[in-house]
């Protein structure tokens, strides 16, 4: 019953002969929906180790709050994984990106909710995306036309992983997009990563909007079953895609201002915002 207040039942009359566009892909939600997206540094859901540096259980390489508003722009808040947060049972601050290791989606969502000032039960839904799923998505849509801002080269012999990308506009396949989102510029650190992540997020949206791709989205969602962790149903996913892709305006990206790292926080960083200021404005 509650589901029906947010997502209408689809009207299948004439759907077989209707051209599929973002607007006709599915019924849009009746109110704004907020989705917590966790980009894992692990290869697959359920892996015990991340095969990355630093080695350990999979954690979050990227954290996003995505607000899909059927009557407004698509909004994305890029959350800093290096943000220092305090959690019960820990005497020292921990990184926001480490919460998935410590308590999975539930702990991550609880801390993000309190941090941003969302009213329960928001975030409404979650999606955990491991690296293999990201590569699969990009390859299924035929790659992304992106422009890496610089030459990116890095080699981790221990993990047998190599990054080798040229700068400039080019079509990147799934493995190359993974290299882009994993690259960490020594001077920019995680803040530089978030800029690169925005390139990929914008590129994916534009690719999904192409007419030849819109009709393939239901098949893509079925293909991802078992490869991602989510509480979104297929119907809900298509509804959010319909709203998020149909809007002609660019994505509204928001990033949080951080203080410089200091030794007291072991390389983690603190928010640099006045007390009481809203971190993310509701529509």
């Amino acid at each position: 019953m509650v589901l029906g207040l947010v997502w209408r039942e689809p009207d299948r009359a004439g759907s077989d002969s209707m051209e599929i566009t973002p607007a006709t892909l599915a019924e849009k939600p009746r109110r704004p929906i907020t989705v917590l997206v966790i980009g894992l540094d692990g290869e697959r859901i359920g892996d015990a180790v991340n095969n990355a540096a630093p080695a350990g259980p999979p954690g979050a390489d990227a954290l996003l709050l995505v607000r899909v508003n059927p009557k407004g722009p698509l909004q994305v808040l890029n959350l800093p994984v290096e943000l220092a947060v305090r959690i019960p049972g820990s005497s020292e601050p921990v990184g926001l990106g480490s919460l998935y290791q410590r308590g999975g989606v539930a702990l991550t969502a609880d801390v993000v909710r309190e941090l941003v000032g969302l009213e329960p039960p928001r975030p409404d839904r979650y999606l955990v995306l491991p690296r293999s799923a990201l590569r699969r998505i990009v390859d299924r849509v035929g790659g992304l036309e992106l422009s890496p801002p610089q030459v990116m080269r890095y080699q981790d012999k221990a993990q047998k992983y190599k990054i080798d990308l040229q700068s400039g506009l080019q079509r990147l396949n799934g493995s190359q997009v993974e290299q882009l989102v994993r690259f960490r510029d020594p001077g920019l650190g995680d803040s530089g990563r978030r800029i690169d992540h925005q390139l990929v997020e914008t590129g994916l949206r534009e690719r999904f909007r192409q007419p030849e791709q819109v009709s393939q989205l239901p098949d893509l969602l079925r293909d991802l079953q078992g490869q991602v962790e989510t509480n979104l149903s297929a119907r809900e996913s298509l509804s959010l895609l319909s709203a998020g892709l149909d809007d002609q305006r660019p994505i509204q990206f928001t990033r949080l201002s951080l203080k410089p790292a200091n030794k007291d926080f072991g390389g983690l960083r603190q928010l640099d915002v006045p007390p009481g200021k809203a971190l993310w404005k509701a529509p």
Side-chain angles (χ1 to χ4, degrees):
M1 182 176 179
V2 174
L3 184 64
L5 298 176
V6 181
W7 278 284
R8 299 181 181 90
E9 287 293 339
D11 181 5
R12 294 181 175 82
S15 60
D16 292 342
S17 60
M18 183 186 300
E19 179 186 0
I20 299 178
T21 67
T24 63
L25 184 63
E27 289 280 1
K28 297 175 184 178
R30 298 185 181 185
R31 64 167 175 83
I33 302 295
T34 302
V35 182
L36 172 64
V37 180
I38 302 174
L40 279 193
D41 64 2
E43 181 67 11
R44 289 173 296 273
I45 297 293
D47 281 358
V49 294
N50 57 8
N51 292 323
D61 247 359
L63 281 170
L64 311 172
L65 278 176
V66 180
R67 181 182 287 134
V68 182
N69 186 352
K71 297 182 180 180
L74 182 65
Q75 297 172 293
V76 175
L77 173 62
N78 279 305
L79 295 163
V81 296
E82 74 274 29
L83 178 64
V85 295
R86 295 188 179 276
I87 59 174
S90 177
S91 58
E92 300 292 333
V94 300
L96 187 64
S98 72
L99 298 182
Y100 187 83
Q101 298 172 333
R102 300 167 184 270
V105 173
L107 178 60
T108 306
D110 285 346
V111 173
V112 167
R113 180 185 302 115
E114 183 176 351
L115 172 69
V116 179
L118 297 176
E119 291 294 328
R122 293 181 173 176
D124 304 278
R125 297 290 187 269
Y126 67 84
L127 170 66
V128 183
L129 189 74
R131 287 172 175 163
S132 60
L134 173 64
R135 295 195 304 269
R136 195 175 190 92
I137 291 170
V138 173
D139 287 337
R140 278 292 303 267
V141 300
L144 301 180
E145 282 199 355
L146 300 174
S147 184
Q150 62 179 343
V151 173
M152 297 179 173
R153 289 198 175 96
Y154 172 79
Q155 186 167 4
D156 186 337
K157 294 183 179 179
Q159 304 297 334
K160 299 180 180 179
Y161 187 74
K162 182 178 180 181
I163 295 174
D164 187 5
L165 293 177
Q166 298 298 315
S167 60
L169 184 63
Q170 57 199 286
R171 184 172 290 276
L172 302 182
N173 62 27
S175 294
Q176 292 169 318
V177 168
E178 180 190 355
Q179 292 177 43
L180 177 61
V181 299
R182 291 181 69 171
F183 181 76
R184 180 184 278 107
D185 183 285
L188 297 176
D190 284 304
S191 62
R193 266 187 168 182
R194 284 189 284 277
I195 296 173
D196 296 335
H197 292 175
Q198 288 184 194
L199 288 176
V200 174
E201 292 151 19
T202 300
L204 276 172
R205 184 188 186 222
E206 292 309 306
R207 190 64 177 149
F208 285 158
R209 284 171 51 85
Q210 298 302 310
E212 70 273 16
Q213 297 299 332
V214 174
S215 62
Q216 300 301 315
L217 288 175
D219 288 338
L220 175 60
L221 293 179
R222 284 190 289 270
D223 190 41
L224 290 174
Q225 288 182 3
Q227 299 187 45
V228 300
E229 179 184 356
T230 185
N231 60 349
L232 279 161
S233 69
R235 172 187 163 199
E236 293 169 351
S237 298
L238 288 174
S239 177
L240 295 180
L241 285 169
S242 178
L245 300 178
D246 188 42
D247 191 86
Q248 299 293 324
R249 288 166 289 193
I251 302 174
Q252 286 188 356
F253 287 107
T254 305
R255 283 181 283 167
L256 303 182
S257 180
L258 300 176
K259 297 179 180 179
N262 65 74
K263 61 181 181 180
D264 293 335
F265 282 80
L268 299 178
R269 301 176 67 181
Q270 298 170 279
L271 285 176
D272 187 16
V273 294
K277 180 181 178 181
L279 299 184
W280 201 32
K281 294 182 179 179

